[in-house]
Amino acid sequence: MTEDDLNTRHAEKMRRIKAARDRMMETKTEEKGLIMVHTGSGKGKSSSGFGMILRCIGHGMPCAVVQFIKGTWVTGEAEMLRNRFAGECRFFVSGEGFTWDTQDRERDIAAARRGWEIAQEQILDPEIRFVLLDEINIALRYDYLDIDEVVDFLLTRKPQMTHVCLTGRNAKPELIEAADLVTEMTLLKHPFRDGIKAQKGVEF
Amino acid sequence: MTEDDLNTRHAEKMRRIKAARDRMMETKTEEKGLIMVHTGSGKGKSSSGFGMILRCIGHGMPCAVVQFIKGTWVTGEAEMLRNRFAGECRFFVSGEGFTWDTQDRERDIAAARRGWEIAQEQILDPEIRFVLLDEINIALRYDYLDIDEVVDFLLTRKPQMTHVCLTGRNAKPELIEAADLVTEMTLLKHPFRDGIKAQKGVEF
């Protein structure tokens, strides 16, 4: 087959794909505030949440982040939200490190509940269009927060057009059931296995 | 079991986890510029790339983005990179929409090659610490770029401490083989199926 044949075939194939896609997209007309879940053991759950926060700020959509577990590290995202986007994205930290750092169940439970109180206020605030609940799945997994209470709030009290993204491994089945969009980040390869430590810009 | 027992057990368990984790982390001492791949049909491949860009900017690490396929839409991330971070992150667009939009194989190939030229310059630039090659996997999949050339460049010419993140579904096996960190974003649920369109802040 000559290059010209290839090009002609390609154009025909792409016309067919575009026509099929246009027909499909015509059926996608609704807008809706989504309940999104990022789970799985792979990398990218929090960072894609922060990528969406960047998109919201770019579109001038007021947004909020509540960090449930991380909190003691200096992270690039916290740096940006605190110092550069203070007027555009509200940033709250309820956690005090990972649960194995605090080793104090009551303090972890109190921090998780405080985070969930803030989360509910932000979700109910009519100004706010997108709320990221970073690592809330860890608090749910250890039953520091009641899964039924969280799911019930999201399904019955969340304003219709507000997006909420919940991240963290081991998302509870009840949350997955209630969500509109669920992505599992699957680990295919990770350099921790080869002695590489967590690095700036990549993991935090 | 009383609450006190629960709390004591929890503290013991967390001490054991922390000790095991500390021992493990002691072996993670190396730093290395990573070749990262985000693939799979789920959401979050590009957004987690942009989340890492946000982290880099937060840490003052100069970075660069080359968008291979997207390009004609107004996206929140492009808005931010062009208008707010021009001095901190270099932003290049080589693509002119998706391949089914252009329907022109030669133009797509030319755009992909132009993108790859820019990508190589940015990766080789000693100033730059992180390079995001967004949707390059699409160009590789259609053989607009030669996978052997790309992998060979990454393995032999990339400066040791520079991170490169390559996104897009259907990552070629050769790229996965060469990468240090690979995440597959798996679609568990997506609202497109229920007639919901792509929305600001979420998909773009």
Side-chain angles (χ1 to χ4, degrees):
Chain A
M1 194 154 45
T2 66
E3 274 288 300
D4 274 356
D5 290 342
L6 257 179
N7 291 339
T8 309
R9 279 202 191 189
H10 174 90
E12 274 162 21
K13 184 178 163 195
M14 289 300 145
R15 258 194 299 276
R16 282 196 306 275
I17 290 179
K18 182 165 166 55
R21 212 183 140 77
D22 287 350
R23 275 194 307 276
M24 186 190 75
M25 295 313 272
E26 274 169 23
T27 68
K28 317 294 177 212
T29 50
E30 274 185 75
E31 298 206 323
K32 181 187 165 186
L34 301 176
I35 302 171
M36 290 173 266
V37 176
H38 297 173
T39 193
S41 58
K43 192 181 145 21
K45 299 181 287 294
S46 294
S47 54
S48 66
F50 284 101
M52 288 193 283
I53 289 291
L54 185 75
R55 286 180 176 152
C56 289
I57 297 173
H59 289 300
M61 293 163 62
C63 48
V65 175
V66 185
Q67 279 200 310
F68 277 82
I69 301 293
K70 296 165 188 168
T72 48
W73 297 9
V74 176
T75 64
E77 59 270 30
E79 196 60 22
M80 292 301 282
L81 294 177
R82 283 212 185 88
N83 301 331
R84 305 274 297 266
F85 300 133
E88 294 155 289
C89 180
R90 302 178 190 164
F91 180 58
F92 306 92
V93 171
S94 80
E96 308 180 63
F98 284 95
T99 47
W100 52 76
D101 288 323
T102 61
Q103 300 172 15
D104 184 333
R105 184 169 164 270
E106 294 199 328
R107 214 165 86 189
D108 286 347
I109 292 175
R113 297 238 161 111
R114 206 163 48 238
W116 176 237
E117 290 301 316
I118 298 168
Q120 292 175 80
E121 283 166 25
Q122 296 307 312
I123 293 168
L124 291 176
D125 188 329
E127 287 268 298
I128 296 291
R129 308 268 303 276
F130 190 114
V131 180
L132 172 61
L133 305 181
D134 192 37
E135 302 287 5
I136 190 173
N137 287 338
I138 314 277
L140 287 164
R141 183 195 183 186
Y142 286 105
D143 295 317
Y144 294 168
L145 296 176
D146 181 52
I147 183 66
D148 294 331
E149 183 191 333
V150 170
V151 164
D152 184 66
F153 180 88
L154 292 173
L155 291 178
T156 65
R157 310 278 314 278
K158 181 182 81 59
Q160 216 197 329
M161 297 310 293
T162 301
H163 302 294
V164 180
C165 178
L166 305 95
T167 81
R169 52 176 76 194
N170 300 298
K172 290 232 170 181
E174 296 92 325
L175 181 63
I176 291 177
E177 175 64 29
D180 302 293
L181 195 164
V182 181
T183 307
E184 182 167 4
M185 276 65 176
T186 310
L187 182 89
L188 294 190
K189 248 186 187 182
H190 202 294
F192 278 1
R193 292 179 181 163
D194 304 319
I196 305 294
K197 66 180 180 184
Q199 295 179 92
K200 265 190 197 176
V202 175
E203 273 96 0
F204 62 92
Chain B
M1 195 153 45
T2 66
E3 275 288 298
D4 274 357
D5 289 341
L6 257 178
N7 290 339
T8 309
R9 279 199 189 188
H10 174 90
E12 275 163 18
K13 185 178 165 196
M14 290 300 145
R15 259 194 298 275
R16 283 197 305 275
I17 291 179
K18 182 164 166 55
R21 212 183 141 78
D22 286 349
R23 278 194 304 277
M24 186 190 77
M25 295 312 273
E26 272 168 25
T27 69
K28 317 293 177 214
T29 51
E30 274 186 75
E31 298 207 325
K32 181 186 166 188
L34 302 175
I35 302 172
M36 289 173 266
V37 177
H38 297 173
T39 193
S41 58
K43 194 183 144 19
K45 300 181 288 294
S46 295
S47 53
S48 66
F50 283 100
M52 287 193 284
I53 289 291
L54 185 74
R55 286 180 176 152
C56 290
I57 297 173
H59 289 299
M61 294 164 61
C63 47
V65 175
V66 186
Q67 280 200 308
F68 278 82
I69 300 291
K70 296 165 186 167
T72 48
W73 297 9
V74 176
T75 63
E77 59 271 29
E79 195 60 21
M80 292 301 282
L81 294 177
R82 283 213 182 87
N83 301 331
R84 304 274 296 268
F85 300 133
E88 294 155 288
C89 179
R90 302 178 190 164
F91 181 57
F92 305 92
V93 171
S94 80
E96 308 181 61
F98 284 96
T99 47
W100 54 75
D101 287 323
T102 61
Q103 300 173 17
D104 184 333
R105 183 170 164 270
E106 294 199 327
R107 216 164 86 187
D108 285 348
I109 291 174
R113 298 239 162 110
R114 205 160 50 236
W116 176 236
E117 290 302 314
I118 297 167
Q120 292 175 82
E121 282 166 26
Q122 297 306 312
I123 292 168
L124 292 175
D125 187 328
E127 287 269 296
I128 296 290
R129 308 267 303 277
F130 190 114
V131 181
L132 172 61
L133 305 181
D134 191 37
E135 301 288 4
I136 190 173
N137 287 338
I138 313 276
L140 288 164
R141 182 195 183 187
Y142 286 106
D143 296 316
Y144 294 169
L145 297 176
D146 181 52
I147 182 67
D148 294 331
E149 183 191 334
V150 170
V151 165
D152 184 66
F153 180 88
L154 292 173
L155 292 178
T156 64
R157 309 277 314 279
K158 181 183 81 60
Q160 216 197 330
M161 296 311 292
T162 302
H163 302 294
V164 180
C165 177
L166 306 94
T167 81
R169 51 177 75 195
N170 300 300
K172 291 231 171 181
E174 296 92 326
L175 180 63
I176 290 177
E177 175 64 30
D180 301 292
L181 194 165
V182 181
T183 307
E184 182 167 5
M185 276 66 175
T186 310
L187 181 87
L188 295 189
K189 248 187 185 181
H190 202 293
F192 278 0
R193 292 179 181 163
D194 303 318
I196 305 293
K197 65 180 181 183
Q199 296 179 92
K200 266 191 199 175
V202 175
E203 273 94 2
F204 61 92

